[in-house]
Amino acid sequence: VQLQASGGGLVQAGGSLRLSCAASGRTFSGYVMGWFRQAPEKQRELVAGITSGGSTKYADSVEDRFTISRHNAKNTVDLQMNSLKPEDTAVYYCAATRSTRVLNSARLYEYWGQGTQVTVSS
């Protein structure tokens, strides 16, 4: 699976961004898709994940602000980010793994996109 992330940028606090991840190379529907982020000097953390059946999981810090969605026919997964805060600033990565549930640990994801920078100014 090859993953290509896009949609990052600079936004003011309270604003919105939409990240997209396009997958190619294998059957997309059998994979859990996740969005992770990594801020400077911090560990990579799961932001949101979605199973092939559409079950979702969110980090507590983004619950009710971010929404993950996938479109199996188009091989894409999106992350809609609303009410952005300066602490959301990080490099965001999409990732994929064969699983029936969303996994928290980045070590368990086999495939990674290249990362896209999200910067939220105060």
Side-chain angles (χ1 to χ4, degrees):
V1 176
Q2 291 81 44
L3 303 175
Q4 181 73 36
S6 62
L10 172 64
V11 65
Q12 288 187 331
S16 298
L17 281 175
R18 188 176 185 88
L19 304 183
S20 293
C21 179
S24 62
R26 291 195 180 187
T27 303
F28 178 76
S29 61
Y31 288 78
V32 163
M33 303 299 297
W35 282 99
F36 287 78
R37 66 187 180 188
Q38 188 166 19
E41 301 183 0
K42 291 190 176 181
Q43 289 190 336
R44 193 168 296 189
E45 63 173 353
L46 177 72
V47 175
I50 186 167
T51 69
S52 59
S55 296
T56 59
K57 185 176 184 178
Y58 296 92
D60 290 344
S61 59
V62 307
E63 189 83 53
D64 297 328
R65 298 189 297 123
F66 291 10
T67 302
I68 189 170
S69 59
R70 67 188 290 164
H71 312 281
N72 288 337
K74 298 180 179 180
N75 283 0
T76 59
V77 59
D78 296 335
L79 184 68
Q80 178 65 41
M81 305 185 294
N82 299 328
S83 301
L84 283 160
K85 304 175 180 180
E87 50 264 44
D88 295 317
T89 295
V91 177
Y92 283 70
Y93 299 88
C94 62
T97 188
R98 288 196 67 88
S99 176
T100 57
R101 60 186 179 89
V102 177
L103 305 174
N104 287 338
S105 174
R107 296 184 295 106
L108 300 177
Y109 285 73
E110 304 165 60
Y111 305 100
W112 291 86
Q114 81 285 11
T116 184
Q117 177 70 47
V118 172
T119 303
V120 185
S121 63
S122 58

